[in-house]
Amino acid sequence: MTVLVLDNPELIAKAAMASGFQPMAFEPGCARPHRLRFHYGFNRHALEGKDLDIVKQHAAYLVQNPAVMVRIHGHSDNFNGEDYNRFLSRLRANAVARVLMQEGVPETRIIMSHWGSSRPLATPEDRAANRRVELEYLTVDVAQAL
């Protein structure tokens, strides 16, 4: 038997829609921000400027939609050792989680994953693209099944 493991939330969503899955309806007027990926400078973990504003928009969406949870995926490039990269990816995920909680999102609705450099978005040589945090939205039912 062959098992296909999809590690791409967008591909998983497309496959679910193709199989007839109907997404839950959300209240009008509280649309989720489209941007789900935030990039960082070398050795940085703090959100700045527009990124911070967009994360606050995500927080407002989560506050208005209590049936939705968020998973924060922290990533790093492959420049340093893997222990340091995991630590840095954890700092990046924590920075986003801290903003969400300061804006009123309960800690129980936030799941964090920190991958270090083990899941690059681009080629390992494209370090700037790999220094990132990604948000993944889950319904409470899906999150409890994980």
Side-chain angles (χ1 to χ4, degrees), residues 18-128:
S19 69
F21 172 78
Q22 295 296 318
M24 61 186 273
F26 296 109
E27 293 178 37
C30 55
R32 175 176 61 88
H34 294 288
R35 188 158 160 230
L36 299 172
R37 188 175 294 142
F38 304 91
H39 291 274
Y40 292 82
F42 177 72
N43 229 16
R44 304 273 183 201
H45 65 272
L47 287 166
E48 297 176 358
K50 291 182 181 179
D51 290 344
L52 183 59
D53 293 339
I54 293 172
V55 170
K56 287 181 180 181
Q57 292 173 13
H58 282 284
Y61 171 80
L62 287 163
V63 167
Q64 292 175 358
N65 294 280
V68 178
M69 297 180 74
V70 66
R71 180 189 307 261
I72 304 168
H73 297 270
H75 299 272
S76 69
D77 60 23
N78 65 349
F79 189 75
N80 293 299
E82 191 53 32
D83 287 340
Y84 179 76
N85 291 337
R86 280 191 179 275
F87 172 72
L88 187 56
S89 67
R90 178 180 294 155
L91 289 176
R92 290 173 176 158
N94 285 341
V96 172
R98 194 169 27 258
V99 171
L100 294 176
M101 288 186 287
Q102 288 170 348
E103 295 294 315
V105 178
E107 183 177 357
T108 57
R109 293 182 44 217
I110 300 171
I111 302 168
M112 290 196 302
S113 301
H114 34 87
W115 302 105
S117 62
S118 66
R119 295 185 178 195
L121 176 67
T123 64
E125 294 76 29
D126 189 1
R127 292 188 170 114

